[in-house]
Amino acid sequence: QGQFSVSIVNDSSTIQTVQVTPGPKFDDLWVINEGLKPNDKVVLDGIQKVRNGMKVMAKEVKYTSKVEQNQMQ
C-alpha cells in the first residue's frame, strides 16, 4: 500500500515496471510527479497480461480522455 507502479515498454521492446509518485488528478487523468521520463511508452491496454521482462510488439495510440470524448459529442 502506498506504492504505485506502471508498466512501460523500453527501447528493446521489453516490459519494465517502474515505481512512480502520483500527483493530482485532473478529470480522468493522473499527473505523475516522479518515475517517468519524457517519451516513456506507458502500457494502457492489456496491463493485466504483461509481466516485467516480457517482450512485446507495442503500437502507439493517441489517448483521448473521457472529457475530450464528451466534448466531441
Side-chain angles (χ1 to χ4, degrees), residues 9-57:
V9 181
N10 66 20
D11 291 337
S12 59
S13 297
T14 303
I15 296 294
Q16 182 179 354
T17 303
V18 294
Q19 299 295 314
V20 296
T21 303
K25 186 175 181 182
F26 293 99
D27 299 318
D28 62 329
L29 303 173
W30 285 94
V31 172
I32 301 299
N33 287 337
E34 293 180 23
L36 292 177
K37 298 178 292 226
N39 300 318
D40 274 350
K41 297 175 187 169
V42 177
V43 176
L44 298 177
D45 191 25
I47 57 174
Q48 64 276 34
K49 297 178 185 178
V50 298
R51 299 287 177 260
N52 203 36
M54 178 185 282
K55 285 279 192 185
V56 295
M57 290 179 54

